[in-house]
Amino acid sequence: MNSLLALTPDELRSDFAAAGVPGFRAAQVASWLYARRVRDFAAMANLPRELRATLAATWDTRTLERIDVREAPDGTRKLVLGTRDAARIEAVLIPEGRRQTLCVSSQIGCSLDCSFCATGRMGLGRNLRAEEIVDQALHACELLAADGKALTHVVFMGMGEPLLNLASVVQAIRVLTHAEAFALSPKRITVSTAGVVPRLAQLGAAVPVRLAVSLHATTDALRDELVPLNRRFPLAKLLEACAAYPVARRDRLSFEYALLAGVNDSDADARSLARIARGARAKVNLIPMNEHPASPYRRPSEARIDAFLAVLCEAGASATVRRSRGDDILAACGQLGALSGAQAGATSADASGR
Ligand code: SAH
């Protein structure tokens, strides 16, 4: 059965038109689904009974099953969701003041194998379909609605490399930004990439979302080691593609930079990073390494993190430290998919006692 979550309300309207169903019915269905989070056609009371039956026989509105929700003391919630083919994916809901940001996954696992990232250790299972990306947002909205809250931002920073699943990611973004669906401004959606250079322009041409680039190193020698994709698309090419990416006025790209103790956290590293960031007119998001059992890298001391930030800012870069959220439930950057099931429960207890 096809999933209705893969369609924008406009596409549903065309589909209805082809079947002789009036267009306003599509808006009604979208409103039940996205404004009221009613997935069951039988409960869509203002639709004719016969249409409800036809829709139920044609369309599916649930692609992911909620398996677990783990909440960290800081309010971050990790949603563990099950796919139809019995895989598990994770999405993370992060409250920040009035913002409610959802970090979504775009693939089951990841093929890039960055040396410090837990998801990379899993290898690639498969691409997620557009409806599976949209469903992560719908699940998040269901949770938020229970607290009288709404989703405000989406970041593609969960499992997977979004630009290696571009068609589904773009289609999901069309649904997330559609006025009759999630109605999120594209400026509130950020796609993060490890640097699949030829796809940057394709993303920018398809949807005007914000771009984050996972830089992590300022030389090819080190970046080759940390982000193996760099061997195909070296820094100079990546920076060229960044310069060509359409950035909204008064906005900037972001560079993510995982701080790894003794690897990329020296004062000299901070100065080269500042030079690159200024050249690219990008702001820098420092992410102190989130440690996990599958990686030998360590997080620098708080003093080193502060010093790195100070050198960076002194050298004229605009930078912040992302004090990662949800570390104690293995929901922080690069920890998704680190472990599963009971094992993860045991490890999150260890981690919070650290
Ligand atoms: N594949 C995309 C999307 C993932 S975003 C990308 O690479 O951008 C997840 C972010 O967390 C990336 O910047 C990633 O490099 C970073 N990350 C991965 N593992 C990490 C870890 N252990 N500690 C801190 N950041 C990590």
Side-chain angles (χ1 to χ4, degrees), residues 171-288:
Q171 179 63 11
I173 291 170
R174 294 203 166 109
V175 178
L176 292 171
T177 53
H178 195 284
E180 294 169 63
F182 292 85
L184 290 175
S185 157
K187 285 186 231 142
R188 293 176 168 217
I189 297 181
T190 302
V191 172
S192 179
T193 180
V196 190
V197 163
R199 304 263 168 100
L200 262 68
Q202 294 171 25
L203 173 72
V207 281
V209 288
R210 304 196 56 234
L211 181 69
V213 172
S214 295
L215 204 65
H216 308 315
T218 58
T219 62
D220 282 320
L222 181 59
R223 198 163 190 272
D224 281 352
E225 205 180 291
L226 300 179
V227 183
L229 182 68
N230 193 69
R231 296 172 201 157
R232 275 174 68 199
F233 304 116
L235 272 171
K237 296 278 173 222
L238 177 57
L239 295 173
E240 224 171 80
C242 287
Y245 190 83
V247 177
R249 266 194 329 135
R250 287 199 296 268
D251 196 13
R252 303 225 194 163
L253 332 161
S254 319
F255 285 152
E256 290 147 290
Y257 191 95
L259 280 171
L260 315 176
V263 175
N264 66 356
D265 65 342
S266 71
D267 287 358
D269 291 319
R271 280 189 291 268
S272 351
L273 178 58
R275 191 172 28 76
I276 293 178
R278 277 174 33 216
R281 294 186 26 79
K283 53 186 175 195
V284 177
N285 239 316
L286 299 175
I287 319 171

Side-chain angles (χ1 to χ4, degrees), residues 35-314:
R36 292 188 250 187
R37 296 161 307 279
V38 170
R39 295 180 188 250
D40 182 3
F41 292 112
M44 300 185 180
N46 55 1
L47 301 183
R49 199 171 294 272
E50 203 179 308
L51 178 59
R52 285 186 248 167
T54 317
L55 288 173
T58 319
W59 296 106
D60 197 350
T61 57
R62 182 180 293 280
T63 65
L64 301 174
E65 176 201 348
R66 187 196 294 178
I67 292 178
D68 195 11
V69 179
R70 295 200 189 120
E71 181 158 355
D74 67 8
T76 300
R77 286 184 280 185
K78 174 157 95 169
L79 284 66
V80 183
L81 303 167
T83 63
R84 282 283 160 75
D85 52 350
R88 285 180 175 206
I89 59 170
E90 299 173 341
V92 182
L93 199 45
I94 308 153
E96 317 166 85
R98 265 182 281 162
R99 290 186 178 201
Q100 298 291 337
T101 301
L102 181 68
C103 176
V104 294
S105 294
S106 57
Q107 298 181 314
I108 299 176
C110 187
S111 62
L112 296 183
D113 203 21
C114 297
S115 56
F116 49 90
C117 178
T119 306
R121 298 289 98 135
M122 305 168 62
L124 178 65
R126 66 169 170 84
N127 281 337
L128 290 178
R129 292 189 296 275
E131 58 267 34
E132 292 171 314
I133 298 172
V134 170
D135 209 354
Q136 294 173 58
L138 201 49
H139 274 280
C141 289
E142 286 165 354
L143 280 181
L144 288 170
D147 303 335
K149 296 193 172 120
L151 185 63
T152 63
H153 293 74
V154 172
V155 296
F156 283 78
M157 297 185 182
M159 300 162 81
E161 169 50 50
L163 298 194
L164 292 179
N165 184 17
L166 190 62
S168 298
V169 164
V170 165
Q171 179 63 11
I173 291 170
R174 294 203 166 109
V175 178
L176 292 171
T177 53
H178 195 284
E180 294 169 63
F182 292 85
L184 290 175
S185 157
K187 285 186 231 142
R188 293 176 168 217
I189 297 181
T190 302
V191 172
S192 179
T193 180
V196 190
V197 163
R199 304 263 168 100
L200 262 68
Q202 294 171 25
L203 173 72
V207 281
V209 288
R210 304 196 56 234
L211 181 69
V213 172
S214 295
L215 204 65
H216 308 315
T218 58
T219 62
D220 282 320
L222 181 59
R223 198 163 190 272
D224 281 352
E225 205 180 291
L226 300 179
V227 183
L229 182 68
N230 193 69
R231 296 172 201 157
R232 275 174 68 199
F233 304 116
L235 272 171
K237 296 278 173 222
L238 177 57
L239 295 173
E240 224 171 80
C242 287
Y245 190 83
V247 177
R249 266 194 329 135
R250 287 199 296 268
D251 196 13
R252 303 225 194 163
L253 332 161
S254 319
F255 285 152
E256 290 147 290
Y257 191 95
L259 280 171
L260 315 176
V263 175
N264 66 356
D265 65 342
S266 71
D267 287 358
D269 291 319
R271 280 189 291 268
S272 351
L273 178 58
R275 191 172 28 76
I276 293 178
R278 277 174 33 216
R281 294 186 26 79
K283 53 186 175 195
V284 177
N285 239 316
L286 299 175
I287 319 171
M289 169 73 193
N290 292 307
E291 298 180 3
H292 57 84
S295 166
Y297 296 109
R298 294 290 159 248
R299 171 189 295 240
S301 67
E302 289 303 307
R304 179 84 301 260
I305 296 169
D306 291 344
F308 190 93
L309 179 64
V311 174
L312 201 54
C313 294
E314 224 161 88

Side-chain angles (χ1 to χ4, degrees), residues 13-26:
R13 198 167 288 121
S14 317
D15 187 273
F16 276 15
V21 177
F24 73 91
R25 296 292 182 201

